[in-house]
């Protein structure tokens, strides 16, 4: 992705003041009501949503989609190019604890590897120099799935959307549900005769209320499946198939993460499900292999000169333009992390939701040393990543007037195809450098706009 120099060209030309023009056309009261109706229609407990959304250019979305697919291609190349297909060596590089490594090796398969890569979301923070990848999420339960299409549908119901059409612009986004469905169908090997296939939405944590469950049930229902939810630990896995409360299950979809697998799921349950998949008794979506692709330690392989010979000149150029230097925190790298405190942000290698992130400049040197020393000794793995010094300030408005946001874009890649982008917006004046909904950011979808007919 080329450098943009102050990120010019990201937003749709001619529409940076379109909300203000809408207010002039319909009056402040009607515009305010439109804003209120949008929030009421999209409401989800604990999830603030942005409205009106800034509108991006079609060219930028294409470039973002290409970058998202490109980084996934690089991740998928790592085990073969860098480790010669030796998955145990890749696991060792990531510093995975022995018990977890045994489970990962025990459940490895060619089908599992392919399945693990089907659902991904690289996260890009927008900077003045352009988008920069800060992590790549690879997991079946992908954040943003329950936001993207409902957000786009609600936007299309708004008076603001009608106004844009009236002044000659088309605004929209890809059909995420269709792209997810195509990827999902490719993983399901055959439909049972005489009945609708059953998808079991598997939960690992008994305290997980999962506010998005109804949305998932609706999603798989639209694809021709029945959906039931329950605890993965309660499944009956036997020679004749996989059952839940006496009902045959055709697909087990893991609505839980690798961290939850480690904490809540007995290894023998995971092993039995992988064996049942290998025997054709169930489609297990997805095995824990995804954890290997999900680890931020892979960004060290992509950005370190020590591994550059494994990638082409074009790939290295892409990495330099898109991914900040990242390295594992180990006893060998501890001194570099300590001496460059103001340059680095510390992140857990495999956690999510903005948890455990520490910016070097935000803590005292003694605290930084204590945290880093603990990270180097940890069995869960941590990385240091160069801080993005110049985040882009995206212009926007809300009920109180003009605002500026910092932006994190999460393009969804399902089965290798771009499916739309989950967006989080953080108030630039809040001082919050972690752009995550759990840290107060507002959610939405990336909407593009262009003159009608083009």
């Amino acid at each position: 992705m080329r450098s943009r120099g102050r990120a010019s060209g990201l937003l749709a030309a001619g529409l940076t003041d379109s909300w203000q023009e809408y207010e002039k056309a319909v009056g402040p009261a009607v515009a305010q009501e439109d804003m209120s109706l949008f929030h009421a229609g999209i409401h989800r407990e604990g999830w603030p949503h942005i409205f009106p959304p800034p509108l991006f250019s079609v060219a930028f979305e294409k470039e973002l989609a290409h970058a998202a697919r490109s980084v996934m291609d690089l991740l998928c190349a790592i085990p073969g190019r860098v480790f010669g297909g030796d998955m145990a060596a890749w696991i060792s590089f990531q510093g995975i604890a022995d018990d977890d490594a045994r489970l990962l090796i025990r459940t490895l398969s060619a089908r599992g590897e392919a399945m693990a890569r089907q659902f991904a979301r690289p996260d890009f923070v927008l900077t003045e120099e352009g988008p920069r990848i800060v992590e790549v999420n690879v997991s079946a339960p992908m954040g943003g799935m329950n936001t993207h299409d409902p957000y786009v549908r609600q936007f299309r119901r708004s008076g603001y959307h009608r106004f844009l059409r009236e002044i000659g612009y088309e605004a929209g986004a890809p059909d995420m549900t269709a792209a997810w469905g195509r990827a999902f169908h490719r993983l399901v090997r055959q439909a049972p005769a005489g009945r609708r296939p059953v998808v079991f939405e598997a939960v690992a944590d008994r305290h997980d209320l999962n506010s998005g469950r109804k949305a998932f049930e609706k999603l798989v229902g639209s694809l021709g499946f029945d959906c039931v939810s329950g605890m993965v630990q309660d499944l009956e896995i036997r020679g004749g198939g996989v059952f839940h409360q006496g009902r045959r299950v055709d697909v087990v979809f893991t609505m839980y993460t690798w961290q939850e697998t480690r904490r809540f799921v007995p290894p023998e349950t995971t092993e039995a499900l992988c064996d049942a998949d290998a025997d054709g008794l169930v489609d297990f979506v997805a095995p824990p292999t995804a954890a290997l692709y999900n680890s931020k330690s892979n960004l060290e392989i992509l950005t370190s000169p020590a591994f550059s010979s494994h990638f082409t000149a074009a790939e290295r150029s892409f990495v330099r333009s898109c991914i900040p230097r990242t390295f594992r925190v180990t006893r060998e790298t501890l001194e570099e992390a300590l001496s460059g405190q103001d340059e680095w942000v510390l992140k857990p290698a495999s956690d999510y939701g903005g948890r455990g992130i520490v910016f070097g400049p935000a803590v005292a040197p003694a605290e930084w040393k204590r945290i880093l020393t603990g990270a180097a000794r940890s069995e869960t793995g941590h990385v240091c990543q160069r801080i993005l010094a110049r985040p882009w300030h995206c212009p926007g408005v809300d009920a109180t007037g003009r605002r500026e946001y910092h932006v994190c874009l999460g393009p969804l890649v399902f089965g290798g195809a771009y499916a739309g982008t989950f967006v989080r917006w953080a108030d630039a004046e809040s001082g919050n450098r972690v752009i995550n909904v759990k840290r107060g950011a507002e959610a939405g979808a990336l909407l593009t706009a262009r003159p009608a007919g083009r």
Side-chain angles (χ1 to χ4, degrees):
M1 183 175 288
R2 67 182 184 274
S3 174
R4 292 180 169 270
R6 297 198 58 77
S8 61
L10 270 67
L11 296 179
L15 292 178
T16 53
D17 290 324
S18 54
W19 178 260
Q20 289 83 352
E21 295 300 319
Y22 173 55
E23 279 190 313
K24 290 178 184 177
V26 301
V30 173
Q32 192 68 36
E33 182 183 13
D34 196 25
M35 193 178 287
S36 298
L37 287 172
F38 179 90
H39 287 300
I42 196 69
H43 176 74
R44 179 180 166 197
E45 190 66 33
W47 279 74
H49 295 88
I50 190 172
F51 187 83
L55 300 167
F56 287 80
S57 72
V58 173
F60 171 68
E61 183 186 47
K62 289 180 178 177
E63 205 168 330
L64 181 70
H66 175 73
R69 293 192 300 267
S70 295
V71 75
M72 281 307 301
D73 288 344
L74 289 175
L75 279 187
C76 294
I78 285 175
R81 286 199 212 172
V82 178
F83 297 99
D86 185 345
M87 301 297 280
W90 192 20
I91 290 169
S92 177
F93 171 86
Q94 293 188 12
I96 293 172
D98 290 346
D99 287 346
D100 297 334
R102 278 191 286 272
L103 176 62
L104 288 167
I105 291 171
R106 165 67 177 80
T107 55
L108 280 174
S109 70
R111 172 171 158 81
E113 279 191 69
M115 192 179 298
R117 304 190 293 254
Q118 294 300 301
F119 306 102
R121 193 196 73 215
D123 279 351
F124 294 75
V125 169
L126 286 181
T127 75
E128 292 288 355
E129 289 70 40
R132 296 292 181 267
I133 297 169
V134 292
E135 65 181 36
V136 184
N137 303 279
V138 183
S139 178
M142 186 54 61
M145 279 183 55
N146 294 330
T147 297
H148 187 277
D149 281 8
Y151 186 93
V152 174
R153 286 193 295 269
Q154 194 63 32
F155 170 78
R156 286 176 172 152
R157 298 186 186 109
S158 69
Y160 179 45
H161 179 241
R162 289 193 297 274
F163 170 76
L164 291 170
R165 298 193 70 178
E166 288 167 3
I167 64 173
Y169 285 87
E170 289 291 342
D175 185 340
M176 186 221 72
T177 297
W180 188 91
R182 287 190 291 271
F184 182 75
H185 268 297
R186 283 195 291 269
L187 303 178
V188 178
R189 287 170 287 196
Q190 59 184 6
R195 63 176 176 85
R196 279 166 63 94
V198 176
V199 174
F200 181 78
E201 184 192 21
V203 179
D205 180 359
R206 295 187 184 276
H207 297 97
D208 177 17
L209 299 178
N210 192 355
S211 62
R213 182 155 296 135
K214 289 184 178 179
F216 183 79
E217 292 174 358
K218 184 177 179 180
L219 172 62
V220 298
S222 72
L223 300 173
F225 297 83
D226 284 347
C227 184
V228 295
S229 301
M231 305 303 301
V232 67
Q233 300 90 331
D234 295 338
L235 287 172
E236 300 173 58
I237 308 164
R238 52 181 189 258
V242 177
F243 299 84
H244 178 252
Q245 297 179 353
R247 187 179 187 185
R248 178 73 180 262
V249 171
D250 302 289
V251 181
V252 175
F253 190 90
T254 55
M255 197 59 77
Y256 54 86
T257 65
W258 169 239
Q259 287 77 13
E260 291 172 313
T261 300
R262 295 172 62 247
R263 290 180 61 193
F264 302 115
V265 184
E268 54 268 25
T269 298
T270 302
E271 292 171 10
L273 284 169
C274 288
D275 290 344
D277 182 278
D279 293 338
L281 299 175
V282 76
D283 293 310
F284 181 37
V285 185
T289 311
L292 296 174
Y293 294 92
N294 188 68
S295 174
K296 298 178 187 70
S297 66
N298 292 318
L299 299 184
E300 175 181 337
I301 295 174
L302 298 183
T303 62
S304 170
F307 298 97
S308 63
S309 63
H310 297 286
F311 304 99
T312 68
E315 289 168 340
R316 293 194 297 270
S317 177
F318 166 78
V319 167
R320 286 193 299 271
S321 69
C322 272
I323 309 177
R325 180 157 180 260
T326 306
F327 60 85
R328 294 162 300 155
V329 178
T330 65
R331 289 178 176 84
E332 291 72 29
T333 64
L334 186 57
E335 187 56 40
E336 180 180 5
L338 287 170
S339 61
Q341 177 176 349
D342 289 344
E343 299 179 46
W344 304 113
V345 54
L346 177 73
K347 301 180 177 183
S350 298
D351 214 336
Y352 56 96
R355 288 189 288 265
I357 294 177
V358 180
F359 283 83
V363 297
E367 178 68 0
W368 181 243
K369 182 176 182 179
R370 184 191 68 79
I371 293 170
L372 281 178
T373 302
R377 294 172 178 166
S378 169
E379 289 190 344
T380 56
H382 290 75
V383 300
C384 270
Q385 187 174 82
R386 193 176 301 281
I387 293 171
L388 300 173
R390 290 170 14 108
W392 183 51
H393 288 235
C394 180
V397 296
D398 67 1
T400 65
R402 290 182 181 268
R403 292 176 64 183
E404 288 189 336
Y405 299 94
H406 293 156
V407 186
C408 182
L409 304 175
L412 298 156
V413 181
F414 297 145
Y418 172 67
T421 296
F422 173 50
V423 189
R424 283 145 294 169
W425 315 80
D427 189 324
E429 295 184 359
S430 68
N432 180 17
R433 305 186 76 168
V434 180
I435 309 173
N436 188 280
V437 171
K438 295 183 183 297
R439 298 287 190 96
E442 298 168 64
L446 187 142
L447 290 150
T448 62
R450 61 183 171 187
R454 290 191 186 178

